[in-house]
Amino acid sequence: ATANIGVVGLAVMGSNLARNLASREGNTVAVYNRSRAKTDELLTEHPEAGFVPAFSYDEFAASLTVPRTAVIMVKAGAGTDAVIDELVKVFEPGDIIVDGGNALFTDTIRREKAVRDTGINFVGMGVSGGEEGALLGPSLMPGGSDESWVTLGPILRSIAAVAEGEPCVTHVGHDGAGHFVKMVHNGIEYADMQLIAEAYDLIRRGTGKTPAEIADVFAQWNEGELNSYLIEITAEVLRAQDAATGAPLVDVIVDQAGAKGTGGWTVQTAIDLGVPVSGIAEAVFARSVSSHPEQRAVAANLPGPVDELRVDDAEAFIEDVRLALFASKIVAYSQGFDEIRAGAAQYGWTIDLGAVAKIWRGGCIIRAQFLNRISDAYAEVPDLQVLLTAPYFVDALQRAQDAWRRIVAQAAAAGIPSPAFSSSLAYYDGLRADRLPAALIQGQRDFFGAHTYRRVDREGTFHTLWSGDRSEITAEDTH
Ligand code: NBP
């Protein structure tokens, strides 16, 4: 046995992660792939990595020093279960199996439970940053036991991205905590991308600027408080020209956004937890609206407003859009962190939210300067109820809110869809409202279903005899 760590699954992510591991001092990396071709190819192309190839699970286990540590990077779902079944046969108590695929956190909880009886440690780990991140430094979100973290910590710290001198990895929490946090990361990513897309659309329709000119706007925004990877790549995408036609690339790309499902998971889980993640939900639904060409074709002639968006002062309008984007982004992140808080409470994880914000500062898709403000907020008040009530965000929302309202109003008047901008604002106003019309909903529920209500002035649960004399009685909560 010569390798201190192994990788199973040598497609794009696995081979890049294996190369990243091999490039770090002190690591020797065993590699295995179900079909031999990928292993051969990796060995041929990267002799410098000094990989220890294995062509069976027995060989793979034999090549690893104890405690054996293997990272699985295969297609999430049945593939992951198949690999775990095989590794469990050849590994021993104390060994560590890490699943770095995009597993649903409930699958990770199930797998951890199943593997636990064997004495082998199972760690679900979120990996963000795509293929480049895997190779050069991803953001890593491992769950699993404290015992496994002792072995894994130093290895993961050595391969993770580094942000402001700190490696982008932390032991997020037990069993499914890492994959849960990765799921929410992806949900926030959906929201952030949708918000940026809405900002682009408003600027284009409002000012008539070309995509290349709007690229300059985003590049400039990237110098300020919006500084982030997504803003940076937006500028690059908008600047790109199609080689075949000379048109802006963005104009020749079909406007139907795809999705692999993690955004949907974030929303489904939030619904189960009762957490409003409206910004993320709108982003998921906006992609699905875009992806129904047959529905869009029959709806294309529906009446719209007479007046198009008219902007007199392009510069002022663009600044309004920037502020609306920043405010909506604060809402999206606040909602995402709310979901992590709720998930931690539900599943019994101790998650340091400030540490999560820190490990997202590098390597991952939502890396942004702004995450420092989030970690500051949690450093100051660790059990902060609502992230956007932290002083920095209150100040930012104060600066942004007039512009945010103008943009949402202008977009609605001109018939420009801005679901993420407008739902974020609606959430913000809902949250800060003194009284909500939820009182009326309780009245309606009591009317048709005797669901009862509570009163503002007395303890207890009440029901009005709607079909009788309409007097009020004290009621047991019937539902
Ligand atoms: P894929 O998701 O395309 O999976 C291909 C790999 O899975 C191949 O190595 C394949 O082996 C293996 N595999 C399958 Br499929 N079924 C298997 C089975 N029953 N037993 C053993 N191996 C099996 O690879 P990827 O794009 O590199 O992603 C790997 C994981 O990383 C996924 O879970 C993905 O969601 C996650 N992830 C991806 C990204 C990204 O940006 N792409 C980012 C973060 C996480 P074969 O060669 O024999 O077919």
Side-chain angles (χ1 to χ4, degrees), residues 177-467:
H179 275 137
F180 186 95
V181 164
K182 171 66 187 349
M183 173 187 77
V184 175
H185 163 283
N186 285 27
I188 293 173
E189 177 184 311
Y190 272 62
D192 213 341
M193 291 169 71
Q194 174 66 24
L195 290 168
I196 291 171
E198 289 177 18
Y200 148 75
D201 197 29
L202 281 159
I203 294 175
R204 188 154 185 194
R205 297 220 226 170
T207 69
K209 281 183 184 290
T210 64
E213 288 166 341
I214 302 172
D216 292 339
V217 171
F218 279 95
Q220 198 192 336
W221 287 359
N222 199 38
E223 302 296 313
E225 61 195 353
L226 278 170
N227 173 269
S228 64
Y229 173 72
L230 282 171
I231 294 282
E232 179 191 326
I233 65 164
T234 298
E236 295 214 22
V237 174
L238 288 175
R239 217 185 298 284
Q241 273 197 338
D242 175 42
T245 61
L249 181 64
V250 73
D251 287 348
V252 300
I253 297 177
V254 173
D255 61 344
Q256 297 168 24
K260 278 193 177 166
T262 45
W265 289 351
T266 311
V267 177
Q268 283 164 340
T269 303
I271 290 169
D272 292 342
L273 293 168
V275 182
V277 293
S278 46
I280 300 170
E282 288 297 349
V284 172
F285 291 138
R287 288 196 194 184
S288 48
V289 168
S290 80
S291 302
H292 286 288
E294 66 303 336
Q295 293 190 336
R296 290 173 62 190
V298 295
N301 291 323
L302 289 175
V306 178
D307 294 326
E308 295 199 335
L309 181 58
R310 273 205 40 219
V311 171
D312 298 325
D313 182 342
E315 213 167 292
F317 178 77
I318 289 171
E319 178 59 7
D320 274 4
V321 173
R322 188 187 71 81
L323 289 165
L325 173 57
F326 194 52
S328 306
K329 183 176 159 123
I330 291 171
V331 167
Y333 280 68
S334 185
Q335 292 179 341
F337 276 86
D338 207 8
E339 181 165 353
I340 298 176
R341 254 170 60 92
Q346 172 75 22
Y347 294 99
W349 301 317
T350 306
I351 300 182
D352 177 344
L353 297 173
V356 169
K358 280 191 169 184
I359 65 168
W360 287 349
R361 289 176 308 172
C364 67
I365 306 298
I366 64 171
R367 61 185 182 258
Q369 193 200 65
F370 165 84
L371 288 158
N372 276 318
R373 304 288 82 76
I374 297 179
S375 61
D376 291 349
Y378 286 117
E380 213 155 286
V381 186
D383 61 348
L384 189 61
Q385 286 290 313
V386 186
L387 176 60
L388 57 74
T389 61
Y392 172 85
F393 297 116
V394 173
D395 176 60
L397 291 163
Q398 175 66 42
R399 271 191 294 123
Q401 72 154 325
D402 289 348
W404 195 11
R405 295 182 191 288
R406 276 194 297 274
I407 288 298
V408 169
Q410 281 174 288
I416 298 174
S418 55
F421 274 8
S422 49
S423 83
S424 303
L425 180 57
Y427 169 85
Y428 173 74
D429 283 332
L431 203 57
R432 56 173 209 89
D434 239 10
R435 283 281 289 168
L436 286 169
L440 175 58
I441 290 170
Q442 284 300 82
Q444 293 164 331
R445 293 178 70 237
D446 189 59
F447 188 102
F448 65 69
H451 292 297
T452 76
Y453 51 85
R454 286 179 296 119
R455 295 182 55 100
V456 296
D457 54 357
R458 265 181 283 148
E459 286 294 313
T461 310
F462 301 90
H463 170 55
T464 290
L465 299 168
W466 294 102
S467 46

Side-chain angles (χ1 to χ4, degrees), residues 82-226:
V83 175
I84 293 169
D85 287 348
E86 295 300 328
L87 286 178
V88 164
K89 288 183 206 159
V90 295
F91 274 23
E92 291 173 317
D95 291 350
I96 302 166
I97 299 173
V98 183
D99 173 21
N102 263 338
L104 180 58
F105 74 98
T106 46
D107 283 340
T108 304
I109 292 174
R110 166 179 64 77
R111 288 171 181 145
E112 208 258 356
K113 230 180 238 149
V115 172
R116 199 186 297 156
D117 290 341
T118 65
I120 298 168
N121 291 291
F122 181 77
V123 177
M125 177 169 76
V127 178
S128 179
E131 35 182 305
E132 188 184 291
L135 179 63
L136 302 173
S139 174
L140 297 171
M141 293 151 256
S145 66
D146 297 336
E147 183 192 352
S148 51
W149 179 241
V150 174
T151 306
L152 276 180
I155 300 174
L156 298 180
R157 268 195 283 270
S158 77
I159 60 163
V162 175
E164 298 175 35
E166 296 174 88
C168 295
V169 57
T170 188
H171 183 206
V172 173
H174 291 163
D175 57 58
H179 275 137
F180 186 95
V181 164
K182 171 66 187 349
M183 173 187 77
V184 175
H185 163 283
N186 285 27
I188 293 173
E189 177 184 311
Y190 272 62
D192 213 341
M193 291 169 71
Q194 174 66 24
L195 290 168
I196 291 171
E198 289 177 18
Y200 148 75
D201 197 29
L202 281 159
I203 294 175
R204 188 154 185 194
R205 297 220 226 170
T207 69
K209 281 183 184 290
T210 64
E213 288 166 341
I214 302 172
D216 292 339
V217 171
F218 279 95
Q220 198 192 336
W221 287 359
N222 199 38
E223 302 296 313
E225 61 195 353
L226 278 170

